[in-house]
Amino acid sequence: PRSVIDLDETILEFFDRSLSAEGLRPEASVRVFVTGRNEWITDESTAVIGTGVLPMYLHSELGANTRRGDGVLLRVPAAQAAVSVITDNPAVPVEFQPRFISFAAGANPLEFTLEQMHLTGRDEALVYTSEPLEKTLTACGRPKVVLTVRTDASDADLFVLLSDSFPLGLRDLHLSHAAVRLRTLSSFQPGKLISIEMELDPIAHEFHEGHQLRVTVTPSLFPLYARNLHLSEYLMGRDPSVADIEVHCGPDAPSQLMLPVRLG
């Protein structure tokens, strides 16, 4: 409820400022609604976006599959190399939401939610979680994730999701995500190890003390995105194939989150 504003008044203020007799009068500030804090902030336009970058490194020793795996986000890079594997079967894709149909009001049998617990429980999801935060952290801007991956398939998709994991596993709140189709990358070749950078949708969010940052990597997000059949020629393809996708971590395989944060 605290996010609600008088949009007509905001638009009229903009027109008054832009079309006044004095001409365009630029406004030096910007308003952003910060989730987690659940309030509007007004700040200098150069300062409201993250003034620093918090790097966190993906790592897993035994396998990051599901939130019950040992995937972690570290403040410093791990010294040893590691590989986690996800298997994507287009016949049973990872669901964006349980029984999701569309964003239209009343279209979904279940109430729409930003909860990700159904997703992070899938074996097709690699889940990397930070230690509980010792103090509040405010992120504002466009997070980036670098992944080092390999697959023998002719094509594959990767989705990266950023979420706020609440204490005691009470909630896993979706904040932002990004998608890439490997075949569209000039560097992609089946069987070749490549590093890709994915820019997530912008966020303004306050992670509270005791909460954890979480990065989830999946090969599908259906039906928000069409399934990848792992074929080089989609028009002639009839039988989809199953694909294994490796995510590499370690000193020679950069895989990390770069989170824009507000300092001070």
Side-chain angles (χ1 to χ4, degrees), residues 97-102 106-113:
Q97 294 281 316
R99 299 169 65 187
F100 175 80
I101 297 175
S102 79
N108 302 299
L110 302 178
E111 182 179 356
F112 183 81
T113 173

Side-chain angles (χ1 to χ4, degrees), residues 5-98:
I5 61 173
D6 188 335
L7 186 58
D8 289 339
E9 180 182 359
T10 301
I11 293 173
L12 289 174
E13 288 176 355
F14 170 77
F15 285 146
D16 181 60
R17 201 169 58 248
S18 304
L19 306 176
S20 64
E22 295 84 0
L24 181 63
R25 293 178 293 168
E27 192 174 59
S29 60
V30 61
R31 282 180 290 177
V32 173
F33 188 78
V34 182
T35 54
R37 186 188 304 182
N38 293 334
E39 67 180 25
W40 289 93
I41 61 171
T42 302
D43 209 339
E44 294 299 317
S45 58
T46 56
V48 72
I49 303 302
T51 52
V53 176
L54 173 64
M56 303 197 78
Y57 302 89
L58 283 63
H59 189 65
S60 171
E61 294 184 2
L62 301 178
N65 303 76
T66 81
R67 61 180 177 272
R68 293 176 289 276
D70 66 351
V72 292
L73 290 174
L74 303 174
R75 294 295 182 97
V76 295
Q80 66 272 27
V83 182
S84 291
V85 180
I86 44 180
T87 299
D88 182 35
N89 182 352
V92 284
V94 176
E95 293 181 302
F96 169 65
Q97 294 281 316

Side-chain angles (χ1 to χ4, degrees), residues 19 34 39 62 73 127 129 145 192 194 215 224 253:
L19 306 176
V34 182
E39 67 180 25
L62 301 178
L73 290 174
V127 183
T129 309
V145 171
K192 177 184 176 182
I194 64 168
V215 169
L224 193 60

